[in-house]
Amino acid sequence: MNLCIFTGRLTASPELKVTPNGKNVCNFTLAVERRFKGADGKPVVDFVDFVAWEHNATFVCKWFDKGVKIAVTSEFQP
């Protein structure tokens, strides 16, 4: 099973776009803090990119803005 769960803050307000085929799509990035701190004492943060389609894209763009903390359940595709 390929299941990933990320909790983080949106780095920018998501924007809804429409493909030439008429499908809704939304790209967004989460800043996900790791459980440990770096050698300099600051939190280590990973920036993870996501793509939401159709209903999920509309939902993300309608309800979330920059800086909001959200959880995303996703399938990993490198």
Side-chain angles (χ1 to χ4, degrees), residues 6 11 27-30 47-51 74 77:
F6 296 92
T11 60
N27 295 317
F28 60 95
T29 302
L30 283 185
F47 295 92
V48 185
D49 296 324
F50 293 91
V51 179
S74 177
Q77 295 180 353

Side-chain angles (χ1 to χ4, degrees), residues 37-67:
K37 297 188 179 192
D40 57 0
K42 295 181 181 178
V44 177
V45 179
D46 294 314
F47 295 92
V48 185
D49 296 324
F50 293 91
V51 179
W53 291 92
E54 296 293 343
H55 172 71
N56 291 327
T58 306
F59 182 83
V60 168
C61 292
K62 180 178 179 180
W63 294 104
F64 302 112
D65 288 318
K66 178 180 178 177

